[in-house]
Amino acid sequence: MARWRDGRGTLVVHGGGGGATAVPLEIATSYRARTKGLLGRDGLEGAILLSPANGIHTFRMRMPIDVAYLDRRLNVIAVRTMPPGRLGRPRLRSRHVLEAEAGAMAEWGVGVGTRVTVEAADGRP
């Protein structure tokens, strides 16, 4: 399994029929970056990947968000839209969590069973 560092990259959503959607991505792997996440932001271009993570909360967030729970192979095991001020249920098989503005994941084709890949800005998978 790849080990990422805090920074930027691209999320590639692999759709049916061989198509793929590229999405700007922030990568948060340090405790500090994961803890901050989307807190205090009014919006987000693309998505943020929290790794490792198996649950999230939306306390002190200003907007509803889409949350996708990923297993160790980066397959989506659950997707949920959460309003501010909620505590998400941890997912046992989840190793990573993707967060985006509400509605974005449906637009990108992210659903249960979807496979994604992460390309870090430094060129590492």
Side-chain angles (χ1 to χ4, degrees), residues 11-12 23 44 50-51 54 59 61 65 89 94 97 102 108 112 115 123:
L11 175 73
V12 180
V23 176
L44 172 69
L50 308 175
S51 180
N54 68 353
F59 298 117
M61 286 195 186
I65 61 170
R89 206 175 76 211
S94 178
V97 173
W108 302 330
V112 174
R115 175 139 167 73

Side-chain angles (χ1 to χ4, degrees), residues 44-123:
L44 172 69
E45 180 183 337
I48 185 169
L49 174 73
L50 308 175
S51 180
N54 68 353
I56 60 109
H57 68 83
T58 59
F59 298 117
R60 295 184 15 222
M61 286 195 186
R62 298 178 180 169
M63 61 185 172
I65 61 170
D66 283 346
V67 180
Y69 298 88
L70 309 174
D71 68 13
R72 65 182 173 178
R73 292 188 175 99
L74 301 181
N75 294 309
V76 178
I77 58 175
V79 179
R80 177 160 189 218
T81 300
M82 293 180 61
R86 302 297 167 124
L87 179 62
R89 206 175 76 211
R91 308 290 173 155
L92 294 177
R93 291 181 23 234
S94 178
R95 297 295 176 263
H96 319 281
V97 173
L98 275 174
E99 297 178 347
E101 288 188 20
M105 293 206 189
E107 186 178 310
W108 302 330
V110 175
V112 174
T114 302
R115 175 139 167 73
V116 300
T117 53
V118 173
E119 298 171 359
D122 62 10

